RNA sequence: GGGCGCAUAGCUCAGUUGGUCAGAGCGCACCCCUGAUAAGGGUGAGGUCCCAGGUUCGAAUCCUGGUGCGCCCA
């Protein structure tokens, strides 16, 4: 570079900004967050929106256990984008995060850590440890969520263990009791007979266990097809739990299976038996005893058997034939021994057929003297009873076959002993009482907008089929069902009034009061202590299902004034699609049951986090991406950009690769901002309003026209929660319209024109608008970067102290003209593509390097077009970024036609000398004797600058 | 096994009521610039629109069946 060139370079207005190219988000974001905290940003936003129309997203509480994962990240970022965009668009949109703090996983963890000590501890002591465990994770997760830039009322989130919250749960329970939805009924649950305790699914461990396998003939009393001939007929069932036979009340067949009426001769006794088994199993079952002589006397479908009856094998009790879908021909006989007191499927079948739930087994697994249990079994533990029962069956001739086998069987996680299914009294919400199901379905159909729309069909099907809701759990860590019972009889006291008594108590002391206070303090006013003296009263030991707790948040949080989360019903719930069975359903059931309407106006769901192959992420598969680690490595804004770029209605792959792609996009967007800021550095020194819109070039107006479109489309995308559309629109605008076109075209004006001249100022006017609008449009997605970018624009009275306090950008109707300057921009864009292809050929042939070394000839055989081309000449020159465009009368050899336009172009090297300052090849270079290496534009600028300096 | 979904270039997404609908951006390859420089610009190569039937003059787009994947349930 010559000395002169260096000197001239100093007269250019090259970009300069403090906005670093390298984002360094992992360090910068915490600094920005600290500043928000310092300035009390959340409170200031709340204040600024006081009185504005409210739209409240009610947070679904994550479980307070473990570090956050990608699923949490997806959910919370989507929520934050919603809340931030609503806020900026002028709505009063508070966000009160919550946590689900009770429940088995925490209790399980605590008890496991305690080991053998747990047995000697009181409920109250265990509960204290559970609380500490929950609060520990609340604090950790809160910090992890905040690190993602999620804006909300983090100082006072709602916690399901908070007395305020627990009181709300009691309100819901009281109203459901008052309306007659709550009742008590037997239901089989997993039971550890060693520890004498109920177990949840998660507390089971599967281990090898030896069970008897027996085939038993039950005598049929009616229902055998008459075409099969005379009996006596039997039905052969198979079971691996002989001890459940005393509770047998039905035999289940599959409606579509074929059943055979079979006559066989017992190979040992030689006696003849007629019995029914599934036709496909005849050979296999007969083979068990190597029965040589048997014949099928007839067949029928399972459906035909329904309604038939039989006598219990050793108890004087009738049973009936029922149908069930789960019957298979995998094992057994195709006829399933059904004891609703001792099996989950049996219980369901029992509900469908109104069968009695019999469970003559006490807490230690011993037979009681009830339900016709034979005297020799009473007092025996069920596993000890098995051989006795088998002996009895063998001796009365009803046992067809018996052998022992080993298989996987559930054991208690603490006792390591085999568990049983045992019916115990549980509390339920009757879905069909008082038309709750119908009312809920009606609310689903008429009061809620489901996004995506298939969510409605999904929850409708679930609510339409769901059984009564069992709300009791036999655990310590939760909110008690405050029932008092008289130990002398079956009296249970649970009334609306009593529950409200405990509501008041819990509001003051928390649900711990139930466990800590003596029973004398817990007698509700409506309990008749004459009939049930305090000394005979006992506290119920059940707690509520945690889904009942979180499902009460519409009462505890949305309707309670203390949380700033109203009004009821909420504007929006936003969770993963699994919540159609979970929180959406528990919420709408309790809400309809208590208020008669849905607790939400809109339910928006997102899919699940999967890997690049579309398979779910899990630790065991080894394809899970850590959310905390990813945030520490890439920064929150990159991850947020990734989330925003995906159509979350489907499953989303949040993977290392996806993060890398988001990083690329982030870099492009960041550099676009950097370029805008670099050229606005001196913009502060004058009033933007002093720019006369009349000085804008047509292409400037075109850019603002495009910006209007971006603002409109982006706003619509946020409105409809389609953030990926906002992302695509913004990203492509930055990349295509701005970086590769408008900003590239602007360079000559920005760098070479007089710094305060009208041409440069016009460009800066547009760039300032682009910057201001884009910073705000990106703010819900990339809150940190938007803030950083906003911050670097010099202060002015109109500038909000944070981009998050700024109003949402509006399109400027002054720039709605798609053809500014009366120019055909479609034509210019098409021409640009054709010309660029030609220039590429020159470049490949080493004729030119940059576009500025080229000259474009253009012409048309059409005189009208030829005249138009002359008008467009200067605009083509700038948009093509070439030094010259000349309109020629004759089409030279080698020209390229613009398809369908009657216009041709020819690119060649410009014959003119290069201006040392602006690098254009211009005929005027050399005309100015003082600056012989400059074009006339540049010499004029330099002269003016020198005069100002001198 | 059942209910509800999803399936267009390597990736993220467009493709209104079936007829220039096979697109965009990114990525990739190659090239240029070196005055957005761990940046910027250009050109180009990529798709049996999951598969198989069917309806139709014509289907990525409608119907049926299947495959894969996800959520929920069993």
């Amino acid at each position: 570079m010559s000395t002169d060139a260096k000197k001239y370079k100093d007269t250019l207005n090259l970009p300069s900004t403090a906005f670093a190219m390298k984002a360094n988000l992992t360090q910068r974001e915490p600094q920005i967050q600290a500043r928000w905290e310092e300035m009390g940003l959340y409170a200031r936003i709340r204040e600024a929106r006081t009185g504005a129309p409210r739209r409240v997203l009610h947070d679904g509480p994550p479980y307070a256990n473990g570090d956050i994962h990608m699923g949490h990240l997806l959910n919370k970022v989507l929520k934050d984008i919603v809340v931030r965009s609503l806020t900026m668009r002028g709505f009063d949109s508070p966000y009160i995060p919550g946590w689900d703090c009770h429940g088995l996983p925490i209790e399980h963890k605590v008890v496991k850590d305690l080991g053998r000590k747990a047995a000697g501890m009181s409920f109250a002591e265990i509960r204290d440890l559970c609380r500490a465990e929950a609060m520990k994770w609340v604090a950790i997760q809160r910090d992890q969520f905040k690190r993602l830039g999620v804006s909300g009322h983090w100082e006072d989130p709602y916690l399901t263990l908070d007395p305020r919250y627990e009181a709300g749960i009691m309100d819901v329970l009281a109203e459901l009791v008052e309306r007659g939805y709550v009742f008590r009924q037997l239901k089989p649950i997993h039971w550890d007979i060693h520890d004498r305790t109920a177990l949840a699914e998660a507390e089971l461990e599967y281990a090898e266990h030896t069970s008897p396998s027996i085939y038993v003939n039950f005598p049929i009393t009616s229902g055998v097809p008459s075409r099969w001939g005379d009996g006596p007929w039997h039905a052969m069932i198979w079971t691996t739990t002989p001890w459940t036979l005393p509770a047998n009340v039905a035999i289940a067949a599959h409606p579509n299976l074929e059943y055979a009426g079979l006559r066989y001769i017992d190979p040992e006794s030689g006696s003849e038996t007629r019995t029914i088994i599934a036709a496909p199993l005849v050979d296999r079952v007969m083979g068990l005893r190597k029965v040589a002589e048997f014949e099928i006397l007839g067949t029928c479908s399972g459906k035909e058997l329904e309604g038939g009856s039989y006598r219990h094998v050793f108890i004087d009790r009738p049973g009936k034939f029922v149908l069930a879908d789960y019957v298979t021909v995998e094992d057994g006989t195709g006829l399933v021994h059904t004891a609703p007191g001792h099996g989950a499927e049996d219980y369901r079948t029992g509900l469908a057929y109104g069968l009695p739930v019999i469970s003559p087994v006490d807490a230690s697994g011993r037979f009681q003297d009830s339900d016709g249990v034979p005297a020799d079994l009473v007092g025996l533990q069920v596993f000890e009873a098995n051989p006795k029962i088998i002996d009895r069956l063998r001796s009365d001739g009803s046992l067809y076959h018996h052998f022992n086998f080993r298989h996987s069987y559930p054991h208690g996680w603490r006792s390591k002993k085999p568990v049983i299914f045992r019916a115990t009294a549980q509390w339920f919400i009757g879905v069909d009482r008082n038309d709750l199901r119908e009312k809920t379905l009606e609310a689903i159909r008429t009061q809620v907008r489901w996004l995506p729309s298939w969510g409605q069909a999904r929850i409708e099907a679930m609510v339409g089929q769901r059984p009564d809701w069992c709300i009791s759990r036999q655990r310590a860590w939760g909110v008690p069902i405050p029932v008092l019972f008289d130990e002398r009889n079956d009296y249970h006291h649970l009334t609306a009034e009593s529950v409200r008594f405990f509501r008041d108590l819990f509001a003051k002391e928390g649900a711990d009061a139930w466990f800590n206070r003596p029973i004398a303090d817990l007698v509700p006013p409506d309990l008749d202590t004459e009939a049930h003296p305090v000394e005979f009263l006992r506290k119920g030991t059940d707690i509520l299902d945690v889904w009942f707790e979180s499902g009460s948040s519409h009462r505890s949080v949305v309707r309670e004034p203390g949380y700033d989360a109203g009004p009821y019903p909420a504007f929006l719930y936003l969770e993963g699609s699994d919540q159609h069975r979970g929180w959406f359903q528990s919420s709408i059931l309790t809400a309809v049951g208590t208020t008669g309407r849905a607790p939400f106006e809109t339910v928006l769901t997102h899919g699940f986090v999967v890997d690049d192959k579309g398979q779910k992420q899990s630790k065991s598969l080894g394809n899970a991406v850590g959310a905390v680690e990813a945030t520490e490595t890439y920064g929150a804004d990159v991850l947020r950009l990734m989330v925003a770029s995906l159509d979350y209605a489907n499953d989303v792959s949040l993977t290392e690769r996806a993060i890398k792609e988001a990083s690329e996009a982030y870099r492009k967007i960041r550099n676009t901002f950097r370029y805008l800021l670099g050229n606005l550095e001196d913009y502060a020194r004058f009033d933007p309003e002093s720019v006369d819109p009349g000085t804008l070039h047509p292409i400037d107006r075109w850019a603002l026209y495009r910006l209007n479109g971006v603002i409109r489309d982006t706003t619509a995308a946020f409105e409809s929660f389609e953030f990926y559309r906002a992302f695509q629109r913004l990203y492509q605008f930055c990349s295509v319209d701005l970086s590769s076109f408008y900003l590239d075209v602007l360079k000559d004006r920005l760098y070479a024109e007089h710094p305060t001249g009208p041409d440069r100022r016009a460009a800066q006017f547009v760039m300032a608008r682009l910057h201001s609008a884009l910073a705000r449009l990106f703010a819900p997605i990339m809150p940190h970067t938007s803030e950083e970018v906003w911050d670097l624009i010099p202060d002015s009275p109109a500038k909000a102290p944070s981009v998050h306090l700024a109003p949402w950008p509006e399109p400027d109707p002054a720039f709605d003209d798609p053809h500014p300057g009366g120019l055909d921009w479609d034509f210019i864009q098409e021409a640009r593509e054709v010309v660029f292809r030609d220039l590429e050929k020159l470049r490949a042939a080493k004729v030119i390097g940059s576009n500025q070394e080229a000259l474009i000839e253009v012409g048309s055989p059409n005189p009208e077009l030829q005249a138009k081309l002359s008008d467009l000449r200067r605009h083509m020159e700038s948009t093509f970024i070439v030094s010259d465009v000349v309109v020629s009368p004759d089409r030279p050899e080698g020209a390229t036609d613009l398809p369908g336009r009657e216009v041709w172009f020819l690119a060649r090297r410009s014959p003119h000398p290069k201006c040392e300052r602006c690098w254009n090849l211009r005929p005027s270079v050399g005309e100015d004797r003082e600056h012989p290496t400059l074009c006339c534009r540049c010499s004029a600028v330099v002269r003016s600058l020198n005069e100002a300096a001198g």
Side-chain angles (χ1 to χ4, degrees):
Chain A
M1 196 182 284
S2 72
T3 329
D4 275 1
K6 175 80 179 74
K7 191 177 72 192
Y8 289 133
K9 178 168 176 173
D10 292 339
T11 69
L12 290 169
N13 320 297
L14 295 177
S16 150
T17 174
F19 187 68
M21 180 180 284
K22 187 164 165 25
N24 203 5
L25 292 179
T26 50
Q27 263 133 61
R28 215 181 299 266
E29 285 173 347
Q31 291 164 7
I32 294 169
Q33 289 168 3
R35 210 182 68 197
W36 288 337
E37 201 115 344
E38 225 166 274
M39 68 188 282
L41 181 60
Y42 182 77
R44 286 175 74 166
I45 290 170
R46 297 269 50 76
E47 199 180 323
R49 287 292 176 275
T50 306
R54 271 175 87 87
R55 281 194 180 176
V56 183
L57 184 165
H58 175 48
D59 189 37
Y63 195 66
N65 191 17
D67 288 316
I68 65 166
H69 56 245
M70 276 297 180
H72 289 111
L73 183 144
L74 170 68
N75 179 258
K76 285 293 196 215
V77 167
L78 289 174
K79 282 171 175 166
D80 194 49
I81 294 175
V82 168
V83 171
R84 286 183 184 276
S85 65
L86 284 171
T87 299
M88 289 184 75
R89 278 158 52 217
F91 295 99
D92 182 14
S93 189
Y95 178 62
I96 314 300
W99 272 276
D100 201 351
C101 300
H102 288 133
L104 182 69
I106 290 171
E107 185 176 344
H108 198 300
K109 166 95 167 57
V110 164
V111 173
K112 207 165 198 170
D113 288 351
L114 284 170
R116 304 170 94 181
K117 276 188 288 180
M121 293 177 77
S122 70
F123 261 36
E125 288 170 311
I126 302 251
R127 284 173 58 87
D128 283 344
L129 291 172
C130 289
R131 176 188 315 280
E133 177 73 10
M135 293 308 289
K136 177 184 102 181
W137 287 109
V138 166
I140 291 171
Q141 291 191 351
R142 185 190 55 212
D143 288 346
Q144 291 170 343
F145 289 145
K146 285 174 77 173
R147 178 62 191 84
L148 296 174
V150 178
S151 164
H153 195 43
W154 296 106
E155 294 71 37
D156 185 25
Y158 77 84
L159 306 177
T160 58
L161 54 64
D162 188 305
R164 281 181 290 173
Y165 194 99
E166 292 173 330
I169 297 171
M170 288 298 114
D171 274 321
V172 172
L173 183 62
E175 282 178 35
L176 292 173
V177 169
E178 192 160 46
R179 287 163 168 74
Y181 291 118
V182 179
F183 66 95
R184 201 164 158 264
Q185 187 178 284
L186 289 175
K187 178 180 188 264
I189 55 173
H190 289 290
W191 190 270
D192 188 321
I193 59 178
H194 181 264
D195 287 354
R196 304 165 67 110
T197 178
L199 293 177
E201 200 69 44
E203 294 176 306
L204 302 178
E205 289 174 359
Y206 286 80
E208 288 290 298
H209 178 68
T210 301
S211 295
S213 170
I214 59 171
Y215 294 74
V216 185
N217 280 311
F218 275 60
I220 298 181
T221 51
S222 75
V224 176
S226 54
R227 59 180 185 273
W228 293 2
D230 289 339
W233 281 98
H234 297 79
M236 191 187 288
I237 61 95
W238 171 73
T239 182
T240 60
T241 51
W243 66 267
T244 62
L245 286 175
N248 173 284
V249 295
I251 292 173
H254 193 284
N256 302 328
L257 254 181
E258 188 184 32
Y259 287 86
L262 184 71
R263 183 185 68 83
Y264 69 89
I265 306 294
D266 189 286
E268 278 171 44
S269 67
S271 63
E272 179 189 295
T273 305
R274 294 176 186 222
T275 194
I276 306 176
I277 60 177
L281 292 169
V282 168
D283 290 337
R284 201 196 302 172
V285 173
M286 290 295 103
L288 287 171
R289 294 275 313 280
K290 301 193 167 56
V291 173
E293 197 177 332
F294 65 91
E295 66 173 315
I296 293 171
L297 302 176
T299 61
C300 71
S301 71
K303 229 177 232 151
E304 266 185 90
L305 295 172
E306 188 183 21
S309 54
Y310 64 90
R311 225 174 350 93
H312 193 281
V313 259
F314 52 78
I315 294 172
D316 182 20
R317 185 168 66 214
K320 63 181 186 179
F321 283 89
V322 297
L323 299 178
D325 288 337
Y326 52 80
V327 177
T328 68
V329 292
E330 293 291 305
D331 307 289
T333 62
L335 289 173
V336 173
H337 151 56
T338 299
H342 293 306
E345 288 178 329
D346 307 43
Y347 174 73
R348 267 197 312 122
T349 304
L351 287 181
Y353 283 92
L355 302 174
V357 178
I358 294 173
S359 183
V361 174
D362 70 12
S364 58
R366 295 181 186 283
F367 276 108
Q368 296 166 310
D369 185 10
S370 67
D371 303 296
V373 172
D376 61 329
L377 296 181
V378 173
L380 277 185
Q381 194 246 47
V382 292
F383 295 111
E384 296 163 7
N386 273 339
K388 287 250 183 205
I389 292 170
I390 294 168
D391 285 348
R392 168 185 288 269
L393 296 170
R394 182 176 291 120
S395 62
D396 72 15
S398 51
L399 183 72
Y400 166 72
H401 187 53
H402 162 227
F403 61 92
N404 287 327
F405 77 115
R406 285 182 75 72
H407 63 144
S408 173
Y409 188 87
H411 291 63
W413 68 279
R414 230 178 324 174
S415 69
K416 310 293 179 194
K417 295 279 191 332
V419 302
I420 66 170
F421 254 107
R422 172 175 175 257
T424 57
Q426 302 290 334
W427 290 92
F428 291 86
I429 291 174
V431 180
D432 288 309
R433 301 198 166 194
N434 207 354
D435 288 333
L436 180 56
R437 191 192 305 276
E438 262 321 304
K439 285 179 195 159
T440 304
L441 288 170
E442 184 64 14
I444 286 169
R445 289 190 276 259
T446 62
Q447 296 171 359
V448 184
R449 181 169 61 132
W450 300 92
L451 298 175
S453 57
W454 48 256
Q456 184 185 327
R458 186 157 191 206
I459 194 168
E460 254 189 270
M462 288 175 177
V463 170
Q465 286 168 231
R466 70 155 300 148
D468 287 339
W469 180 5
C470 180
I471 57 169
S472 48
R473 296 289 183 275
Q474 290 68 50
R475 315 275 1 151
W477 183 228
V479 174
I481 298 177
V483 58
L484 294 167
F485 62 93
D486 188 328
E487 66 170 353
R488 300 168 304 173
N489 48 47
D490 199 35
Y491 179 74
H492 284 74
H493 190 78
L494 186 77
T495 64
E497 194 181 339
S498 77
V499 176
R500 291 201 175 102
F501 166 78
F502 291 108
R503 184 265 318 269
D504 293 342
L505 180 64
F506 292 178
K508 271 186 253 138
E509 305 180 10
D512 285 332
W514 176 261
F515 300 93
N516 298 341
R517 283 189 171 271
I519 202 142
D521 294 352
L522 300 175
V523 179
D526 65 330
L527 175 61
D528 179 357
T529 47
E530 298 277 309
H532 308 287
V534 172
E535 61 263 39
F536 296 115
L537 289 178
R538 297 291 176 266
K539 300 178 205 174
T541 55
D542 291 357
I543 60 168
L544 284 161
D545 177 13
V546 287
W547 286 109
F548 188 92
E549 292 192 26
S550 58
S552 299
S553 66
H554 54 78
R555 167 64 64 105
S556 291
V557 180
V558 179
R559 285 176 72 185
E560 284 301 314
Y563 282 110
D564 188 30
Y568 179 88
F571 168 71
L572 181 70
Y573 279 34
L574 199 187
E575 306 296 335
S577 62
D578 57 332
Q579 298 304 329
H580 286 108
R581 168 141 308 259
W583 191 52
F584 300 148
Q585 199 180 131
S586 61
S587 294
I588 198 170
L589 281 170
T590 56
V592 171
T594 56
T595 71
R597 68 145 301 146
F600 30 65
E601 289 168 352
T602 298
V603 171
L604 180 60
T605 57
H606 57 76
F608 275 70
V609 177
V610 296
D611 69 10
D612 288 330
K613 292 173 198 141
Q615 278 171 335
K616 67 172 162 211
Q617 288 191 19
S618 70
K619 262 188 201 156
S620 55
L621 287 172
N623 61 353
V625 178
V628 176
E629 295 79 357
T631 312
E632 281 165 3
T633 310
Y634 296 94
D637 276 5
V638 166
L639 297 173
R640 295 177 60 114
L641 196 62
M642 168 179 70
V643 167
S645 72
L646 304 170
D647 181 0
Y648 58 83
N650 302 321
D651 290 338
V652 290
S653 55
L654 307 185
T655 59
E656 208 67 41
R657 180 196 52 68
I659 299 171
K660 292 236 162 67
E661 273 172 31
S663 305
E664 296 281 340
Y666 178 85
R667 267 182 32 222
K668 183 73 183 188
I669 293 163
R670 187 175 178 92
N671 273 311
T672 304
F673 274 118
R674 183 163 186 268
Y675 190 71
L676 291 172
L677 286 166
N679 287 288
L680 290 169
E681 191 75 349
D682 62 324
Y683 197 64
R685 286 177 236 125
F686 84 113
D687 178 6
E689 294 309 310
S690 70
V691 170
D692 174 7
T695 64
L696 294 180
H697 295 202
I699 196 173
D700 298 333
R701 306 182 75 92
W702 175 87
L704 291 172
Y705 157 74
R706 298 287 291 178
L707 177 64
N708 277 355
V710 170
I711 293 172
R712 289 195 176 94
D713 293 346
T714 305
T715 306
F718 277 116
E719 179 94 50
S720 59
F721 310 118
E722 295 171 297
F723 312 131
Y724 66 95
R725 287 184 189 270
F727 166 81
Q728 297 257 346
R729 192 69 173 85
L730 288 166
Y731 184 30
Q732 295 193 16
F733 180 64
C734 285
S735 180
V736 182
D737 282 348
L738 297 186
S739 187
S740 73
F741 183 58
Y742 181 64
L743 298 182
D744 207 28
V745 164
L746 235 41
K747 281 174 184 164
D748 182 72
R749 255 203 279 165
L750 288 168
Y751 299 170
E753 290 293 340
H754 193 283
T756 62
D759 292 329
R760 182 159 183 273
R761 284 306 194 211
Q764 287 180 306
F765 174 82
V766 176
M767 294 178 87
R769 287 228 178 174
L770 289 169
H771 170 275
S772 163
L774 289 173
R776 287 175 285 160
L777 293 171
F778 271 115
I781 296 172
M782 309 191 303
H784 310 91
T785 304
S786 297
E787 187 74 320
E788 192 188 352
V789 149
W790 185 258
D791 206 38
L792 284 164
I793 265 295
D795 286 321
S796 77
K799 187 189 153 194
S802 162
V803 69
H804 305 294
L805 282 161
W808 195 244
E810 300 279 346
D812 185 342
F815 301 106
D816 271 337
D817 178 8
H819 303 293
L823 302 179
D824 183 346
W825 287 92
D826 291 338
F827 169 82
I828 292 179
Q829 303 262 31
E830 284 171 41
R832 192 169 188 261
E833 284 180 34
V834 168
V835 167
F836 275 23
R837 267 196 288 275
D838 283 353
L839 288 172
E840 197 58 26
K841 284 175 199 148
L842 293 187
R843 220 185 320 272
K846 305 285 178 201
V847 176
I848 59 165
S850 76
N851 282 15
Q852 279 175 301
E853 291 167 26
L855 176 152
I856 307 294
E857 276 186 74
V858 57
S860 171
N862 181 330
E864 221 175 289
L865 284 177
Q866 187 79 344
K868 240 187 188 165
L869 289 174
S870 300
D871 296 340
L872 283 172
R873 198 180 69 80
R874 305 290 292 184
H875 301 295
M876 290 192 282
E877 210 171 272
S878 62
T879 56
F880 299 168
I881 321 181
V882 296
S883 289
D884 254 319
V885 171
V886 294
V887 183
S888 303
D890 303 310
R891 185 182 191 284
E893 194 65 23
T896 309
D897 290 306
L898 185 57
R901 290 280 193 177
E902 284 189 283
V903 175
W904 54 262
F905 290 96
L906 181 74
R908 57 185 166 89
R909 190 182 166 84
S910 168
H912 304 301
K914 177 175 176 178
C915 168
E916 219 166 41
R917 183 166 177 273
C918 72
W919 293 351
N920 285 307
L921 277 56
R922 288 277 153 72
S924 61
V925 173
E927 283 174 7
D928 189 319
R929 222 175 299 168
E930 198 184 336
H931 302 290
T933 58
L934 299 190
C935 68
C936 62
R937 186 268 312 268
C938 284
S939 62
V941 170
V942 170
R943 187 165 293 119
S944 161
L945 288 170
N946 286 344
E947 279 165 16

